[in-house]
Amino acid sequence: MSGRLRSKTALVTGSTSNIGQAIAEAFAAEGAHVIVSGRNRERGERVIEAIRASGGQADFLAADLDGSKQASQDLAERARQTLGGRIDILVNNAGVYPAPDTTTTDEDTFDQVYGVNVKAPFFLTAAVVPAMAESGGGVVINLGSWIARLGVPVGALYSSTKGAMETLTRAWAAEFGPLGVRVNAVSPGVILPPTPEGGEPHPGEVMMKGTPAGGVGTPDAIAHAAVWLASDEAAFVHGTVVDIDGGRTGVAVIAA
């Protein structure tokens, strides 16, 4: 690694597994002091232990970002204190994915998904950005999804939350860019950990057949994009959604 984030601080939500974990590990490998955040303390401790064992800086903060303003503000304040008073990079990654169809979605599920996927990052960003601006600037990276732009028969609720986050990315870029805070998003395709040798293929692999990539991506693919967006190399990038989806949304998919 090249130390592109040396001396930076970062808060990555939902980073005890999968994409969030890969982003936290990549940020730490590039020199950032990272806050790993999530509900599961045991998994979080394992992540920071691995980062520290590799020579990186990381701390774990337990947080249940349920959509309440208080929960988001509390995490922002604890992260600032742990990081020495400053958050340079915020990654809004935490999310939930119940995928019932529209007619069977109850109100509690609707409120939960919007609470975690939209309200929590909304209020967390609101809590983090003012201090970022006061300290000279910062970076916010949101997580979108390829199904925000390609309809699928199930998952209307989830995909609409990711559409909201991509819209907020553009709106926040306009609102916060003049304050020195860059806001962009990464839109993953079907992302899965590597399949163990001899393991059964994941159903998600079907959705990537016929794409230019020809298969699913791994969490590291998203982490590489997040590192670039967080670094000075992307200093002129504002309000952009970067598709890391193997060509799923940008190219006609030809069924095999």
Side-chain angles (χ1 to χ4, degrees), residues 145-170:
S145 173
W146 69 276
I147 64 170
R149 272 163 288 152
L150 285 178
V152 294
V154 221
L157 178 60
Y158 174 81
S159 62
S160 70
T161 66
K162 290 305 179 179
M165 289 309 299
E166 293 188 9
T167 297
L168 283 171
T169 296
R170 292 182 283 271

Side-chain angles (χ1 to χ4, degrees), residues 2 14 23 26 45 51 53 56 67 70 81 112 129 138 160 162 191 198 211:
S2 59
I23 292 173
E45 294 290 349
I51 289 173
Q70 181 58 45
Q81 291 175 359
Q112 179 204 17
V129 164
S160 70
K162 290 305 179 179
I191 302 295
T211 63

